[in-house]
Amino acid sequence: MSTFLTVALLSVLTTVGLVGAVASDGAASLAWAIGTVVVAGVLAWRLRSAPPGMGLVAAFVTGILIVSAGLPAAIVLTESRGSGSPASSRAGAGVAPGSASPVADPSTELRRAIAKAGEIQPGGADSLLEIDIDENTTRVTTLDLTTGQRVSAYFSRSGDKWYEPTRNSTNDRADSAFRASDIAGLDLTATAAKVTAAADTIGIDRSSPHASDGIEIERRSGDKRLVATFGMSGVDVETDAAGNLPDNLALAKVDGLLPIAERLLRTNGLDPAQPVIDELQYRVFAPNVGSVGSGKGTVEMRISGGGRSGTLKETVGKFPEVSLSPSRSTSSSAFALRVVTAAGIERARADLVQRFSVLPIDAHALGIEVDEDSRAHTSDRTAPPVMEVGLGPGSNASAYYRLDGAFVRTD
């Protein structure tokens, strides 16, 4: 082998060996290092009979190649490997895109939060206000009733550490807190899988991340019901403290409106055959639904009769919100749920499609409002209820109908 070939092999193989050793882990790195030393030693031994000064030339050439090519390559490979390491990608590792859980194992994060609650405040695990798990952090907040303060601490996944707790004054009291034992049956990992499946059933677009995405466990402000709320693409789905979903996924489409509205009335002691509703609103769960009706996938009824007054509201993927109080008064314009029929809604919808040449994509993006026809009201008689129906974005295609679906007017 010529002297120049030996020098070239020495410099190239030594550089390659250095890069391999730096870019590898464990036994592979050791094997690269030993192999490089052996090869370099054999080639250096061959230079013993080379002309004087060739050893220095070999060392110089090898050094230049390592500095100019070997070290940059080693740095690039090391950073690339580091960016995919468990420590730096802990938040996203093993998480399916658009999943209801922002982390691979939310049950572990829940246990982490409960353990920390006991550290930041004596008895903290029995006075939990909120546990919040998102892609970057796990946060736990407890209630200190002796000072009237919220005590919060959060774990940073990028920093792999808990930060010092902070305290802030609060008007929350004991009815806003919950115990770790209240969620002892909550398997967040299994629940997240169920919520992800439910999101697909409802039609949530899980491809658009939102700042509010994550898991939050707390009592609702209105009725103090303890729920785990899963945020996906800005849409929330609730489960109870045992991980059970509300039985109302059918409410996403108009076919689920009347059965779920009837159940909501009966559950709260109201007869769907009696005139107890002052107003009913509903919108299907769809991105192109318009402004007629309540929130997306929501039925809302204003009650005035049956000895009650107030509101009943239920949204797909969430538990009902009930705000009723005893009342002796009954609205003269109240109507029974039974007078609103699926056939009447469908007749009105079909008329709108034809009347406004609604595109097929918007033909079922329906919203309705049922209440007294204010234009037909007179001082000596009560006007019958009328149904406003809208289709598509902006509800430019909207009109008023009798409850049997017969056209009345447009605005």
Side-chain angles (χ1 to χ4, degrees):
M1 183 184 297
S2 70
T3 298
F4 290 106
L5 180 57
T6 302
V7 170
L9 286 174
L10 177 62
S11 59
V12 171
L13 295 179
T14 301
T15 301
V16 171
L18 172 64
V19 173
V22 171
S24 302
D25 289 317
S29 179
L30 180 61
W32 272 105
I34 293 173
T36 301
V37 170
V38 170
V39 171
V42 170
L43 293 174
W45 176 259
R46 286 182 173 274
L47 290 175
R48 72 189 187 285
S49 58
M54 289 307 296
L56 292 175
V57 171
F60 178 75
V61 172
T62 301
I64 290 296
L65 191 59
I66 289 175
V67 171
S68 63
L71 289 180
I75 291 171
V76 170
L77 289 173
T78 301
E79 289 183 348
S80 175
R81 182 187 64 187
S83 66
S85 66
S88 62
S89 62
R90 184 179 291 108
V95 180
S99 168
S101 174
V103 293
D105 186 6
S107 290
T108 296
E109 294 305 308
L110 178 57
R111 291 191 294 270
R112 185 202 300 272
I114 292 173
K116 190 63 179 179
E119 296 177 15
I120 64 176
Q121 177 192 331
D126 290 328
S127 60
L128 295 160
L129 279 179
E130 179 184 349
I131 295 174
D132 192 353
I133 302 168
D134 63 31
E135 182 180 4
N136 301 309
T137 61
T138 294
R139 182 183 298 272
V140 59
T141 302
T142 62
L143 175 63
D144 186 347
L145 282 175
T146 62
T147 61
Q149 292 179 316
R150 295 166 60 94
V151 187
S152 298
Y154 76 91
F155 176 84
S156 167
R157 279 180 247 298
S158 60
D160 196 25
K161 68 175 182 179
W162 283 97
Y163 285 86
E164 287 298 315
T166 59
R167 287 178 170 267
N168 295 284
S169 61
T170 182
N171 291 324
D172 289 325
R173 293 299 180 256
D175 61 347
S176 296
F178 61 96
R179 300 172 179 267
S181 59
D182 294 333
I183 53 174
L186 179 58
D187 181 342
L188 272 187
T189 302
T191 301
K194 291 194 297 184
V195 172
T196 301
D200 291 336
T201 299
I202 295 170
I204 294 175
D205 178 5
R206 299 190 287 113
S207 65
S208 303
H210 191 274
S212 65
D213 291 355
I215 305 171
E216 191 172 44
I217 304 170
E218 64 179 345
R219 292 194 183 278
R220 300 196 302 193
S221 59
D223 56 11
K224 303 303 180 184
R225 182 170 191 151
L226 180 58
V227 296
T229 302
F230 293 76
M232 293 163 290
S233 299
V235 180
D236 291 339
V237 174
E238 294 176 346
T239 74
D240 64 17
N244 299 308
L245 281 153
D247 180 19
N248 63 8
L249 299 188
L251 195 55
K253 297 183 179 180
V254 69
D255 292 346
L257 164 61
L258 295 177
I260 290 176
E262 179 169 337
R263 183 182 66 185
L264 188 56
L265 288 172
R266 291 190 182 281
T267 300
N268 289 280
L270 296 166
D271 186 349
Q274 295 300 314
V276 297
I277 304 173
D278 230 8
E279 182 184 53
L280 181 148
Q281 298 187 53
Y282 170 76
R283 276 198 282 175
V284 300
F285 185 87
N288 57 328
V289 73
S291 58
V292 176
S294 189
K296 293 180 182 179
T298 299
V299 56
E300 187 167 2
M301 293 176 283
R302 189 171 69 234
I303 303 300
S304 180
R308 318 288 288 280
S309 67
T311 59
L312 295 173
K313 178 180 178 181
E314 189 162 352
T315 298
V316 64
K318 294 185 178 182
F319 294 100
E321 298 175 43
V322 178
S323 179
L324 293 176
S325 58
S327 175
R328 294 182 179 180
S329 64
T330 299
S331 171
S332 59
S333 61
F335 58 91
L337 179 65
R338 291 285 174 84
V339 302
V340 183
T341 66
I345 294 173
E346 174 55 25
R347 181 183 176 189
R349 187 200 66 80
D351 178 80
L352 270 182
V353 170
Q354 183 176 12
R355 188 176 297 275
F356 290 93
S357 299
V358 176
L359 294 172
I361 192 174
D362 298 322
H364 293 276
L366 178 141
I368 65 172
E369 294 182 12
V370 183
D371 60 4
E372 181 184 13
D373 186 355
S374 58
R375 292 195 185 182
H377 180 77
T378 62
S379 58
D380 59 344
R381 65 183 180 87
T382 300
V386 68
M387 178 168 58
E388 182 183 7
V389 183
L391 288 178
S395 292
N396 293 323
S398 65
Y400 291 87
Y401 295 86
R402 294 203 312 251
L403 297 187
D404 64 0
F407 176 78
V408 176
R409 66 176 186 273
T410 59
D411 275 335

